[in-house]
Amino acid sequence: MASSTDHSTEHEHLGPNSTDKLFLAFLVAIVAAVTWLGIVNYKEALKVEAAKSNGEDWVAWLTETGTTRFEADTKHPACKGGVKPTADAKADTPGTWGACLAHILANTDLKDQVNAFFNKPPHFVAACDPKDRTLMGAILLEDLMPTPPGSATPFVASQLLETDPIDYKMQLRLSVCDKGGAAIKVAEFEF
């Protein structure tokens, strides 16, 4: 039979030892790191959402303007449809995307947009590229030209350049570049 003194010595060292304390400190460090990463990722996600919101604003403006730009009394004459640019058209020639873009950036609410990644106005790019970190929050606007009936792809996408004519009803696709440089499609619409 064991004595009562043997039983009491087994329970004297019930507090945490140094290994337990080290493990608890490790857990506290992990919780702090996960919390910090969560905050950083949340802030970056807000920037991506701001870029998408900028793209949605462009889509809304271009779609709305696209419904009236072929009318004689359109509010935005630089974006008027049916005006053929000259053969040697420059970016500021009426009937080109460059003239329309300059008008948009000077005379509409879109001029006040801010790229949340860099706190500068968003810029237009030829393509989103994950290798180029300067493209975060940039806008990619593509002209979708229809292919002949029966083709495997219904459209061929090309960057809308400043010298491109806008005298016809256009099918456009707008995307924004996310934090990783990948394109996020916002919408396809008529202009």
Side-chain angles (χ1 to χ4, degrees):
M1 181 167 183
S3 71
S4 64
T5 57
D6 290 341
H7 210 37
S8 64
T9 57
E10 290 177 16
H11 296 293
E12 285 180 18
H13 301 292
L14 287 180
N17 59 24
S18 60
T19 306
D20 294 337
K21 290 178 184 175
L22 183 64
F23 178 72
L24 290 174
F26 176 72
L27 284 180
V28 168
I30 292 297
V31 168
V34 167
T35 302
W36 177 74
L37 284 172
I39 291 169
V40 168
N41 285 333
Y42 178 75
K43 289 179 181 177
E44 292 299 313
L46 287 177
K47 291 177 184 178
V48 171
E49 287 303 313
K52 285 172 49 179
S53 178
N54 284 346
E56 290 166 354
D57 291 344
W58 274 90
V59 168
W61 192 92
L62 290 169
T63 301
E64 181 183 333
T65 302
T67 61
T68 61
R69 72 185 192 100
F70 287 92
E71 296 174 4
D73 61 341
T74 182
K75 290 190 247 180
H76 307 286
C79 299
K80 186 167 177 52
V83 177
K84 285 238 182 240
T86 60
D88 58 340
K90 295 181 181 161
D92 60 351
T93 303
T96 62
W97 171 241
C100 183
L101 180 61
H103 170 76
I104 294 169
L105 294 176
N107 302 310
T108 69
D109 292 340
L110 297 175
K111 70 178 182 227
D112 298 326
Q113 285 187 337
V114 175
N115 180 340
F117 289 102
F118 301 112
N119 290 325
K120 298 191 300 190
H123 61 285
F124 288 87
V125 295
C128 295
D129 182 7
K131 296 176 200 140
D132 189 351
R133 305 291 290 167
T134 64
L135 300 180
M136 295 184 298
I139 297 173
L140 170 61
L141 189 60
E142 297 171 296
D143 187 8
L144 302 176
M145 298 300 288
T147 57
S151 296
T153 56
F155 296 103
V156 174
S158 62
Q159 179 191 10
L160 190 58
L161 301 173
E162 292 185 355
T163 55
D164 286 347
I166 58 169
D167 59 326
Y168 58 97
K169 192 66 139 173
M170 304 172 78
Q171 183 72 23
L172 301 176
R173 176 173 48 211
L174 191 135
S175 304
V176 294
C177 302
D178 70 3
K179 176 186 174 198
I184 300 173
K185 180 180 153 190
V186 175
E188 289 182 7
F189 58 97
E190 279 190 356
F191 175 64

